[in-house]
Amino acid sequence: MNKTSPFEEIVQKNENKLSFGIGKAILYSAVAVIIMQFAGGIISIPAIFYQPLNHVLLPLGFLAGTVSAIVILLMLTQTKFTTILQAIKHPFTAIQLILSIACWLFLLPLAEVFTSLIPTTGPLEDIYKIFQSSFEMMLDYKIAGFIMVCLFAPIFEEIIFRGIILKGMLNYKVNATIAILINGFVFGMAHMNPWQFIGAGLLGIIFGIVYHRTKSLFLPILLHFLNNTLSYSLMLIQGDMEGEVFAHRDYLLIGGMTLIGILSVFLLMKQTEQKTI
């Protein structure tokens, strides 16, 4: 087996300049969101005049926006896409997979509780109605919505927010806890509505912990896929976006699951000691 020479290691490090501080991480996140909205909006313009085009343009617009954002971020950070592929292909163990899923599954009720605290009436009612109508539009384009929400979003959003934004901060030696919290914050903000901000922010923290501890970008992609598929399936079954996994507030059950989720995070961290990014 050929070993990498010191010279080749230096070359590889120079090729990967994915390293930046908190300020740039926030800036790059904003740039990514703007590009995603702009490119996706342009692609979706024909559907304004002929709505059936949404069957194609909804996922195509999302794909164009996220891919454009990734390309721009890689250019800004002078990073090759092979760096992202290496993170996706990074090996992980069966116990890491099980603990990662447990972290997401058992902390999911907590995300729902926090999300439910944001009122949908009063000053936010008009904003909520706009958000609700635009989100439930996918009920008319079920396959397009599935492709966009359950397939494209987990892959490309994780590349942007964990594979580039979070890893850039970690490579810059930003404290891991601070980097993960900031990453969760910008991920929540990227959804551009108060109801997804808390839930997505908390999930972003969970995905960030999993990525940081395992080095595998595939695992947060998988968790993101499971989360979005579960939410989207409930929306299709119930016919609206109000559906929750834990609709009945059994706080004793939710508290117990939260403790198991925290224990899962602790066990994942112990299992991956000295193996962080």
Side-chain angles (χ1 to χ4, degrees), residues 76-117:
L76 289 173
T77 58
Q78 301 181 52
T79 303
K80 292 188 176 182
F81 189 70
T82 51
T83 302
I84 306 298
L85 291 178
Q86 289 169 359
I88 294 175
K89 295 188 295 183
H90 193 280
F92 53 87
T93 65
I95 188 64
Q96 289 174 358
L97 172 62
I98 293 171
L99 288 173
S100 296
I101 293 176
C103 291
W104 159 73
L105 182 62
F106 288 106
L107 289 173
L108 180 59
L110 187 64
E112 289 192 347
V113 169
F114 282 136
T115 299
S116 68
L117 298 177

Side-chain angles (χ1 to χ4, degrees), residues 32-154:
V33 172
I34 292 172
I35 293 172
M36 289 164 62
Q37 294 298 317
F38 180 74
I42 290 179
I43 296 294
S44 301
I45 287 177
I48 296 176
F49 306 100
Y50 187 61
Q51 290 188 351
L53 287 174
N54 278 316
H55 288 289
V56 175
L57 296 185
L58 276 177
L60 184 60
F62 186 88
L63 180 64
T66 51
V67 169
S68 298
I70 291 170
V71 170
I72 296 299
L73 290 182
L74 292 178
M75 291 174 61
L76 289 173
T77 58
Q78 301 181 52
T79 303
K80 292 188 176 182
F81 189 70
T82 51
T83 302
I84 306 298
L85 291 178
Q86 289 169 359
I88 294 175
K89 295 188 295 183
H90 193 280
F92 53 87
T93 65
I95 188 64
Q96 289 174 358
L97 172 62
I98 293 171
L99 288 173
S100 296
I101 293 176
C103 291
W104 159 73
L105 182 62
F106 288 106
L107 289 173
L108 180 59
L110 187 64
E112 289 192 347
V113 169
F114 282 136
T115 299
S116 68
L117 298 177
I118 307 298
T120 57
T121 57
L124 296 176
E125 184 172 3
D126 291 339
I127 299 175
Y128 181 74
K129 287 180 178 178
I130 295 173
F131 162 64
Q132 184 180 37
S133 62
S134 63
F135 205 82
E136 291 183 350
M137 179 183 67
M138 287 185 292
L139 292 174
D140 297 324
Y141 311 99
K142 295 179 177 63
I143 296 177
F146 176 83
I147 294 172
M148 180 175 68
V149 173
C150 303
L151 298 181
F152 288 168

Side-chain angles (χ1 to χ4, degrees), residues 102 106 255-265:
F106 288 106
M257 293 187 69
T258 299
L259 289 177
I260 297 175
I262 294 173
L263 176 62
S264 300
V265 172

